[in-house]
């Protein structure tokens, strides 16, 4: 029986070994000359991304269940109870129901845009899993531009939403699409600005480097106090707005717009949109954790406090890191649900104003504090 | 894996060109925007083949996420009629076609004269990206040779941002 650390090492070796064998096999074919050391890298990236994305997606089956349960408890209900133990299989039942439904499309819809919007959103969300570090060294693609990559992938959403809303050829969808695009654009700027403070400390866009820096010098929530804490709160609310969670679910305000840009999508298309929404929320929670709450780090380092040896052993254990990351994600999902139950929906004008007139100046102030702090550190 | 990268490059190039053609030839404005989005993503992927991964991220974030949305808003919020492509040839069209053919050959000749001797293979592309560290070089150059330009640009952009906030605030008072 190997230790947990070795267990993860063995898995990594296995993943590296399989593509090498495939390449060695391919080399037996005529006219194929591959280098097993260098050419193996791309295959590893694809395999690791696929494995971690599948892990993330299976985890994702639990997130909506947790959300429903927590929501129900907070409202004095019981939530899903019939399908499976504690209603655990409710989401799978829902998915089967949605897939088995008749595939309908409005007669006047623009077929090209109607289909393209779904595929664009679906592909973009799954691609966003690639650079996320789940434990030390456990990552799909170790990119130097990891953070920028995630935001680049997410920036495909506003045009896709608008396209989907327009292609449905319904006024509710179009208005919803507009609202979604305006909201995503308005909240992307404070989000980006609040990240700048983190980048000053980490000096890298690589998500692994960002987490390693927090591992050795402390989490970003409490560093450069209160600069990065303000940035953390701004990033949290901006990411809630980005994912259209309830205080900010203006694009799909069901009292006004039926379902917003998603109104005309039904059956498997709706299943994909539902999945996209949850993955978007999930990845945003992960981003908050990676950027501000230490990623897979278990025990935050405090400047000037010496930890005993066994605490460092806990910090260095990859299995504990992996589990800690997952626990943090579920706490994040719980928090998001809590916010959803507690606050009523904003009005569209209040909301856009809040973004441009409150969050944007605040994020500038936070950035200023961080810059001054970093300057003092250097001096 | 040179042939693999080259095959990918050719595939992405063909798709990008097709999408660019779609942008110009489609009748509906929103479809044109969707094609434009795919064209921009294709161009971004071409940057990736050259090892400019940072440029790829910026290209998608700024153009696909920012500029395209501006286009869409301005197109959809202003009145427009669906325009039709007329493929009948007129005298002006012939001149246009001649000019574009001339431009195409000039550009090709120019590029061949500069890069003609240098043949890129897939392995070299990858090597270039790994050894040179283009993003780092770029940022080092930006923050060492141009370190006075950046703060000035920052102040300029910041003042523009403050000005727009001020404009919005004044509208409310009126």
């Amino acid at each position: 029986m190997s230790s947990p650390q070795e267990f993860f090492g063995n898995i990594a070796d296995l993943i590296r070994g399989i593509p090498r064998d495939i390449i060695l096999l391919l080399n037996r074919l005529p006219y194929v000359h591959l280098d097993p050391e260098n050419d193996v890298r791309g295959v590893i990236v694809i395999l690791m991304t696929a494995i971690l994305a599948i892990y993330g997606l299976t985890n994702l089956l639990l997130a909506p269940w947790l959300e429903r349960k927590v929501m129900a408890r907070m409202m004095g209900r019981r939530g899903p109870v019939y399908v499976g133990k504690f209603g655990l299989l409710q989401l799978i039942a829902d998915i089967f129901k949605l897939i088995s439904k008749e595939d309908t499309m409005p007669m006047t819809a623009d077929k090209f845009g109607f289909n393209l919007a779904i595929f664009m959103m679906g592909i973009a969300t799954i691609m966003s899993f690639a650079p996320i570090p789940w434990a030390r060294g456990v990552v799909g693609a170790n990119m130097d531009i990891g953070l920028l990559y995630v935001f680049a992938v997410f920036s495909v959403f506003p045009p896709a939403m608008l396209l989907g809303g327009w292609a449905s050829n319904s006024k509710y969808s179009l208005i919803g699409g507009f609202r979604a695009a305006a909201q995503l654009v308005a909240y992307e700027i404070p989000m980006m600005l609040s990240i700048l403070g983190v980048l000053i400390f980490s000096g890298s866009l690589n998500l692994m480097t960002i987490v390693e820096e927090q591992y050795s010098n402390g989490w970003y929530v409490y560093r450069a106090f209160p600069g990065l804490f303000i940035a953390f709160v701004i990033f949290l609310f901006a990411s809630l707005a980005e994912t259209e969670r309830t205080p900010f679910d203006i694009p799909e305000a069901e009292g006004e717009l039926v379902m917003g840009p998603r109104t005309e999508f039904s059956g498997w298309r709706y299943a994909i949109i539902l999945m996209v929404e949850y993955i978007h929320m999930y990845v945003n929670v992960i981003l908050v954790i990676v950027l501000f709450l230490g990623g897979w780090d278990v025990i935050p380092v405090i400047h000037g406090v010496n930890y005993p040896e066994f605490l460092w052993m806990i910090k260095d254990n990859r299995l504990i890191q992996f589990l800690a990351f997952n626990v943090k994600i579920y706490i994040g999902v719980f928090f998001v649900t809590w916010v959803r139950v507690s606050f009523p929906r904003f009005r569209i004008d209040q909301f856009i104003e809040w973004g441009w007139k409150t969050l944007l100046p605040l994020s500038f102030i936070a950035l200023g504090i961080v810059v001054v702090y970093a300057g003092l550190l250097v001096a | 894996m040179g042939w693999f990268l080259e095959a990918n490059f050719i595939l992405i190039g063909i798709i990008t060109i097709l999408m660019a053609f779609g942008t110009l030839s489609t009748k509906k404005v929103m479809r044109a925007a969707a094609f434009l989005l795919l064209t921009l993503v294709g161009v971004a992927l071409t940057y990736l083949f050259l090892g400019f991964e940072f440029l790829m991220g910026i290209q998608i974030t700024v153009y696909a996420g920012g500029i395209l949305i501006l286009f869409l808003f301005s197109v959809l919020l202003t009145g427009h009629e669906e325009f039709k492509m007329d493929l009948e040839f007129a005298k002006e069209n012939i001149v246009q076609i001649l000019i574009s053919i001339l431009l195409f050959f000039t550009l090709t000749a120019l590029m061949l004269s500069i890069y003609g001797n240098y043949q890129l293979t897939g392995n070299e592309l990858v090597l270039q990206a790994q050894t040179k560290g283009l993003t780092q070089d770029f940022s080092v150059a930006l923050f060492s040779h141009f370190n006075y330009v950046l703060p000035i640009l920052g102040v300029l952009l910041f003042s523009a941002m403050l000005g727009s906030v001020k404009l919005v605030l004044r509208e409310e008072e009126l």
Side-chain angles (χ1 to χ4, degrees), chain A residues 235-273:
Chain A
F235 189 86
L236 191 67
F237 282 101
S239 66
L240 279 178
E242 284 275 299
T243 47
E244 296 166 23
R245 303 292 302 170
T246 279
F248 311 112
D249 66 338
I250 295 148
E252 60 159 276
E254 61 268 20
E256 313 156 33
L257 293 177
V258 193
M259 255 317 251
R262 310 158 188 78
T263 306
E264 303 292 346
F265 294 93
S266 64
W268 65 270
R269 294 169 213 273
Y270 184 68
I272 288 184
I273 281 189

Side-chain angles (χ1 to χ4, degrees), chain A residues 167-353:
Chain A
S168 315
N169 207 354
S170 136
K171 55 183 174 240
Y172 298 121
S173 303
L174 188 59
I175 295 171
F178 265 121
R179 285 184 176 187
Q183 175 172 335
L184 290 173
V185 171
Y187 278 77
E188 222 159 57
I189 298 165
M191 210 168 169
M192 293 280 194
L193 280 173
S194 57
I195 290 169
L196 285 183
V198 171
L199 294 185
I200 287 173
F201 278 103
S202 69
S204 169
L205 282 167
N206 190 332
L207 291 178
M208 284 180 84
T209 320
I210 290 175
V211 178
E212 287 286 349
E213 218 272 337
Q214 295 182 72
Y215 163 85
S216 42
N217 294 326
W219 300 358
Y220 288 132
V221 203
Y222 59 82
R223 279 166 69 183
F225 197 80
L228 279 173
F229 184 75
I230 300 173
F232 163 70
V233 174
I234 290 169
F235 189 86
L236 191 67
F237 282 101
S239 66
L240 279 178
E242 284 275 299
T243 47
E244 296 166 23
R245 303 292 302 170
T246 279
F248 311 112
D249 66 338
I250 295 148
E252 60 159 276
E254 61 268 20
E256 313 156 33
L257 293 177
V258 193
M259 255 317 251
R262 310 158 188 78
T263 306
E264 303 292 346
F265 294 93
S266 64
W268 65 270
R269 294 169 213 273
Y270 184 68
I272 288 184
I273 281 189
L274 207 66
M275 180 198 79
V276 163
E277 265 178 19
Y278 274 108
I279 299 180
H280 201 173
M281 182 263 278
Y282 196 69
V283 172
N284 264 304
V285 166
I286 289 178
L287 271 186
V288 172
I289 291 166
V290 166
L291 289 176
F292 292 99
L293 298 174
W296 42 255
D297 190 22
V298 192
I299 303 157
V301 173
I302 298 165
H303 188 67
V305 179
N306 284 326
Y307 287 147
E309 192 65 24
F310 74 97
L311 280 181
W312 282 101
M313 272 171 70
I314 291 174
K315 259 170 91 82
D316 284 333
N317 193 318
R318 279 197 204 175
L319 188 66
I320 292 178
Q321 286 169 0
F322 186 72
L323 291 177
F325 193 60
N326 283 289
V327 168
K328 281 182 193 177
I329 290 171
Y330 278 102
I331 292 174
V333 172
F334 172 78
F335 178 79
V336 166
T337 315
W338 193 9
V339 172
R340 180 179 174 178
V341 180
S342 307
F343 292 102
R345 185 184 304 129
F346 282 96
R347 226 169 48 218
I348 177 82
D349 55 325
Q350 291 171 335
F351 174 67
I352 299 287
E353 260 179 28

Side-chain angles (χ1 to χ4, degrees), chain A residues 19-39:
Chain A
R20 191 168 295 144
D21 292 348
I22 293 172
I23 282 176
L24 287 177
L25 264 179
L26 280 174
N27 269 344
R28 290 188 185 178
L29 296 168
Y31 306 115
V32 176
H33 305 287
L34 295 171
D35 178 9
E37 291 307 317
N38 279 325
D39 295 344

Side-chain angles (χ1 to χ4, degrees), chain B:
Chain B
M1 205 174 264
W3 58 273
F4 183 70
L5 275 179
E6 269 171 27
N8 267 317
F9 178 71
I10 291 167
L11 192 71
I12 286 169
I14 289 171
I15 290 173
T16 311
I17 290 167
L18 281 179
M19 292 298 144
F21 185 73
T23 313
L24 294 174
S25 61
T26 185
K27 287 176 190 169
K28 293 180 177 173
V29 183
M30 275 302 282
R31 273 196 193 183
F35 278 130
L36 184 63
L37 176 66
L38 295 177
T39 316
L40 291 170
V41 172
V43 172
L45 289 177
T46 326
Y47 290 150
L48 192 61
F49 278 100
L50 287 168
F52 298 117
E53 45 181 24
F54 188 75
L55 198 59
M56 178 201 75
I58 292 292
Q59 158 93 4
I60 297 178
T61 320
V62 172
Y63 282 92
I67 308 262
L68 192 73
I69 282 293
L70 277 183
F71 280 174
L72 288 181
F73 267 90
S74 52
V75 163
L76 285 175
L77 290 177
T78 50
H80 67 278
E81 287 164 17
E82 286 181 1
F83 59 89
K84 268 192 176 179
M85 278 284 289
D86 44 346
L87 291 169
E88 295 164 14
F89 283 104
K91 275 182 188 171
E92 298 90 40
N93 288 111
I94 294 170
V95 175
Q96 283 164 9
I97 289 167
L98 279 178
I99 288 175
S100 48
I101 288 172
L102 201 69
L103 200 63
F104 174 73
F105 279 112
T106 322
L107 280 176
T108 319
L110 196 68
M111 288 178 91
L112 279 179
S113 68
I114 296 170
Y115 299 108
N117 302 323
Y118 188 63
Q119 283 192 335
L120 281 176
T121 59
N123 276 331
E124 268 179 58
L125 287 178
V126 175
L127 272 178
Q128 219 178 14
Q130 282 162 1
T131 52
K132 266 185 134 181
L134 286 158
T135 313
Q136 207 173 357
D137 284 351
F138 180 69
S139 53
V140 165
L142 205 63
F143 285 100
S144 58
H145 298 301
F146 302 104
N147 58 350
Y148 293 106
V149 181
L150 271 183
I152 294 168
L153 272 179
V155 169
L156 193 71
L157 290 174
F158 186 63
S159 63
M161 208 176 269
L162 280 182
S164 54
V165 171
K166 177 72 185 146
L167 278 179
V168 173
L169 286 175
R170 204 182 63 183
E171 264 174 31
E172 205 178 57
E173 287 166 11
L174 287 174

